[in-house]
Amino acid sequence: MKLRKVTAASATVFALALTATACGGDNSTGGDSGSDGGGKKITVGIKFDQPGLGQKTPQGYAGFDVDVATYVAKKLGYSEDQIVWKESKSADRETMLQRGDVDFIAATYSITPERQEKVDFAGPYLLAHQDVLLRVDDNKIKSPKDLNNAKLCSVTGSTSAQNVKDKLAPKAQLQPYPTYSACLPGLQNGAVDALTTDDSILAGYASQAQFKGKFKLGGFKLTNENYGIGVKKGSDLKDKINKALEEMVADKSWQEAVDKNLGPANYKNEPAPKIGDIKS
């Protein structure tokens, strides 16, 4: 009887040990919690709907921001299959970081003083500019003033087109469209003359297979957009990500990612920015 009691007790202890081990290995995110694998995950915010930058496709996730985030995650100790991708819409980014929904965000996330009050930024890792996308055979629009009387695609929720009208071309005719994707067929068939937003975003759309060779960037550099990687305020990930970004530039992976994702639109990228060098 005593032997059976000891055996039963031992079995109970063994079962509890197994349960504790299983629970201990179930970390869903892990930005600051270590980098030795073992089932750990890191959650990264990206755009799901920006071709060339951050896009969810049937084959997975693709784009320059995705390549940057994947490189950074690897340097933090996470393999590609340990990354949990989460859609980060523009209006949700600060809240997602503050709540801890993601470990970091790489999603055409411009560094601004207002955002820096709420979250921290590593980088910048890309200097973009507001620009215009034109038909490749359009030789009439050579400067911002030539947008006067032109039909300029205006996307709901974006201020880019209105900024052009207010500051550069007051006679521009804003044509409302629901999305940038909807603007492109209109630009192609002449319903609009130009589309404006960040040049990196325009290059991403123009690099899609169905549009290759049909559009060109104006090269106007209307604003500076310093893309950074957002992290929670006070996170020690900031310094680690900055180091990873420096390594990505040094080993040429950064330029390779630019050329692969944005090159088909003849995107003339700025040199990789120095960490902390934010252009106003």
Side-chain angles (χ1 to χ4, degrees):
M1 181 63 71
K2 288 183 179 179
L3 180 58
R4 286 197 297 272
K5 287 183 178 178
V6 172
T7 302
S10 299
T12 301
V13 171
F14 181 69
L16 289 172
L18 284 175
T19 302
T21 301
C23 291
D26 186 22
N27 291 337
S28 58
T29 64
D32 298 336
S33 61
S35 57
D36 58 352
K40 294 183 184 295
K41 300 287 186 181
I42 189 165
T43 304
V44 180
I46 57 169
K47 293 290 181 68
F48 277 15
D49 59 352
Q50 286 186 340
L53 290 157
Q55 186 178 28
K56 184 178 181 180
T57 74
Q59 293 75 38
Y61 300 91
F64 176 69
D65 283 345
V66 174
D67 288 349
V68 170
T70 301
Y71 186 99
V72 167
K74 182 178 180 181
K75 290 296 181 178
L76 294 176
Y78 296 88
S79 61
E80 192 167 349
D81 60 4
Q82 290 176 308
I83 301 172
V84 177
W85 300 106
K86 184 166 287 191
E87 184 175 19
S88 299
K89 296 181 179 179
S90 296
D92 301 332
R93 290 177 296 203
E94 286 84 40
T95 302
M96 292 178 71
L97 289 168
Q98 291 168 337
R99 286 193 312 225
D101 296 341
V102 292
D103 292 297
F104 67 82
I105 290 177
T108 59
Y109 201 0
S110 295
I111 302 171
T112 68
E114 295 78 16
R115 290 170 178 164
Q116 286 176 305
E117 293 179 1
K118 301 175 181 178
V119 301
D120 286 340
F121 286 96
Y125 65 93
L126 183 72
L127 177 59
H129 307 281
Q130 184 181 343
D131 200 356
V132 296
L133 193 68
L134 308 166
R135 287 183 296 279
V136 73
D137 60 353
D138 186 342
N139 297 313
K140 296 179 181 179
I141 300 176
K142 299 179 179 179
S143 71
K145 68 178 182 180
D146 294 330
L147 292 169
N148 278 306
N149 298 314
K151 296 176 181 178
L152 184 61
C153 182
S154 176
V155 174
T156 305
S158 171
T159 59
S160 298
Q162 190 63 50
N163 287 341
V164 169
K165 184 175 177 66
D166 291 345
K167 300 175 183 178
L168 300 169
K171 294 182 181 179
Q173 302 173 31
L174 302 190
Q175 305 292 310
Y177 281 74
T179 64
Y180 294 117
S181 294
C183 285
L184 291 175
L187 180 59
Q188 186 176 358
N189 63 32
V192 296
D193 299 306
L195 163 62
T196 184
T197 186
D198 296 358
D199 54 6
S200 58
I201 297 174
L202 295 173
Y205 280 108
S207 294
Q208 295 176 95
Q210 68 268 37
F211 295 126
K212 285 182 182 178
K214 296 180 179 178
F215 302 120
K216 64 182 178 181
L217 290 163
F220 296 163
K221 296 185 179 181
L222 304 176
T223 63
N224 290 327
E225 304 296 335
N226 303 272
Y227 290 175
I229 293 181
V231 297
K232 189 174 184 177
K233 201 78 172 171
S235 171
D236 65 0
L237 277 181
K238 176 180 175 180
D239 291 340
K240 296 175 183 178
I241 293 173
N242 278 334
K243 182 179 179 181
L245 292 173
E246 288 176 334
E247 292 176 1
M248 188 176 188
V249 173
D251 69 15
K252 311 299 183 184
S253 298
W254 182 88
Q255 189 62 53
E256 289 172 6
V258 173
D259 294 341
K260 180 183 78 172
N261 293 292
L262 304 175
N266 293 318
Y267 176 62
K268 303 296 190 294
N269 65 280
E270 297 277 4
K274 300 292 185 182
I275 298 300
D277 183 14
I278 301 172
K279 303 294 186 184
S280 59

